[in-house]
Amino acid sequence: MTPALPVAPSPIQSYLDTLHRAFSGLSHGQVATYIPELAKVAPDGFGIVLATVDGHVYEVGDTRLPFSIQSVSKPFVYGVALEDCGRARVEQAIGMEPTGDPFNAISLEPGTGRPLNPMINAGAIAAAALVAGATEADRLARVLGALSAFAGRALDVDAAIFESERDTGHRNRAIGHMLRNYGIVDGDPEPALGLYFRQCAVRVDCRDLALMAATLANGGINPATGARAVRSEFIEPMLSLMTTCGMYDFSGAWVYNVGLPAKSGVGGGIIAVLPGQLGIGVYSPRLDERGNSARGVAVCQRISSDLGLHFLQPPRPSVATVRARYTLQGVRSKRRRTPAESRLLDGLGQQVEVFELQGDLRFATLEPVLRAIVAGSALMMVLDFKRVGHVDGGATRMLAGLASRCAALGQPLLLSRVRRGDLLAGLDGMLAPQAIRSVTFQPALDAALEWCERRLLARPAPDGAARAVLPLADSRLCRGLTADELVQLQAQLRRSQHESGSLIVQRGEPADALYLLSAGEVSVIVSLPGGGHKRLSTLSAGMVFGEAALIAGGQRSADVRADTAVDCWALSAEVFERLKLEQPRLAITLLHNLLATASETIGRLTAEVAALEG
Ligand code: GLN
């Protein structure tokens, strides 16, 4: 029996426990009293929650105690306004400048009357006025639905808090009328005020706040439910305004000391967001003179410095983007090559550069790769994406730029193993028309290497002379034949020439001859059971096709088409039967060579199947 391990909390949990203990004695500040119901709140509630972008929650203290969200609702309702009306309309009604004034200041832009930002009451009331819905109930449902999606559970309005603010919120009512005066709110401001008072009275707990923050950190998808709470394009504006305006007239010091987009509320809650990493929720209802949770500010400051969360800290260097870099001289495709082709590739291989990339591609990680490409002198380039995670918009644009450069230089650019959806979708739209023809997508790295090899081998000889026909002696089929036997064989072969595109062997025809390719390339094509065709392989000079004719006879099982002008030697089954009797050694050597090639093919297929299953 394995002895049970003693139970011990995670270091992060222990850290939060210690933090909570360290700050539990901090009791300066007062609960808000200007909304009568808030004055009744127990002043010493204290919870801290940290939620990661993969949905793990660490919590300590009063994390399930309900309280009113108050101004923490503002960035979320601003997001609703952006979704419902679009950026242009929202920007017309609400600015994006910090005021340096308290949250309830009547700071409207001189001239236009536009509230300076959506985090102060004036801007938040203007945002509430932009929420879509035919009736007040519809608009409330829209706001509650959005806040609930961020929290990952159904939230409701605390009626007592709502009524308390509705009956006493004369200053906010005055702001509403100012907005109407400037035409920022059309008609009666009361419905927008009603929605605003209700959104502020939404009941949350500290855990909800952390998950709402983590949803912002996670690009708008709630990490616990997996449901999208806001369109990803609006995360940036929401977090930007939280950064510059979220803590009102304390925002400058907050960014300086804590360095996280954040939002506070007079209910005692604070959220803080580290994009891509985590969300923090703190609850402690005693407020400082600016209306921010006094203990919440202190705790956030400590967490940020202890855990190194300031968002302007330079990101740690990640792994090198280039996982492997080589040329075709060192690494070849799995395609079998004749000795003559291998010699040619030995000489030309360094003209093809392969970069196997890894990690996320963004400006900082892709830039060194582009620099290496520009400094190099390759004629063709393969970029392999197998281990690439995310490619952001900026990196996609730079890849499109690389394609344009390749097109201008006449360099083929091969992108292998790009997963559809992430890179491909964006890149297609960004490629300049003339760049499209330089880019080739390959499903496998091996296919990309083979593509480049074929290009190298197809290039005309340097002096422009036509490519020589491969001598019979250099083909695999003739290995081991004596000079005499070669001459005798040659006499039995029929020369067969084909134009590019023509069919050399047709499926279903009698298999009556073997072909030995001496120049050009052919493709073996099979028809698929469900219709359509599939290229099985491509063969080049020195290789054999239709060999079943000599062994099994019967009918052709596939089409063979000339991809280029093709020169072949044909050995008919009839002639071979005669050779077996008259030249048994010659016939045995040919059969031996055919068998050797066939078993190599079987070996390669076995390895491929094993790789598929692995
Ligand atoms: N409902 C509160 C008000 O309008 C919200 C203010 C706040 O949380 N800072 O006064």
Side-chain angles (χ1 to χ4, degrees), residues 3-84:
L5 272 178
V7 180
S10 119
I12 295 163
Q13 186 62 50
S14 307
Y15 168 73
L16 288 187
D17 295 344
T18 311
L19 192 71
H20 192 267
R21 267 197 305 277
F23 283 88
S24 63
L26 200 73
S27 60
H28 70 278
Q30 301 301 326
V31 299
T33 52
Y34 73 101
I35 300 173
E37 270 303 300
L38 287 183
K40 301 180 185 166
V41 166
D44 294 317
F46 180 29
I48 309 171
V49 182
L50 200 149
T52 63
V53 287
D54 61 1
H56 193 80
V57 171
Y58 299 93
E59 53 189 309
V60 59
D62 303 316
T63 59
R64 309 298 171 105
L65 194 69
F67 57 92
S68 61
I69 189 170
Q70 298 298 339
S71 288
V72 179
S73 62
K74 288 170 178 173
F76 301 100
V77 176
Y78 182 64
V80 170
L82 284 167
E83 280 198 331
D84 289 357

Side-chain angles (χ1 to χ4, degrees), residues 344-393:
L344 211 57
L345 290 178
D346 281 343
L348 299 174
Q350 87 283 4
Q351 297 176 352
V352 177
E353 277 228 78
V354 183
F355 293 84
E356 290 185 26
L357 307 179
Q358 66 185 354
D360 290 345
L361 299 189
R362 53 198 153 82
F363 176 83
T365 57
L366 182 57
E367 184 275 338
V369 181
L370 297 182
R371 200 165 356 135
I373 289 175
V374 170
S377 57
L379 293 184
M380 293 175 226
M381 233 120 38
V382 179
L383 301 186
D384 182 66
F385 283 76
K386 167 82 188 295
R387 290 178 183 79
V388 169
H390 178 252
V391 184
D392 78 4

Side-chain angles (χ1 to χ4, degrees), residues 34-35 38 69-72 74 103-104 119 121 125 165 172 196-197 200-201 248 263-267 290-292:
Y34 73 101
I35 300 173
L38 287 183
I69 189 170
Q70 298 298 339
S71 288
V72 179
K74 288 170 178 173
F103 67 87
N104 56 1
M119 302 299 149
N121 291 5
I125 295 165
E165 189 170 18
N172 283 329
Y196 170 72
F197 292 146
C200 288
Y248 315 115
K263 188 71 203 82
S264 64
V266 292
R290 293 181 173 97
N292 297 320

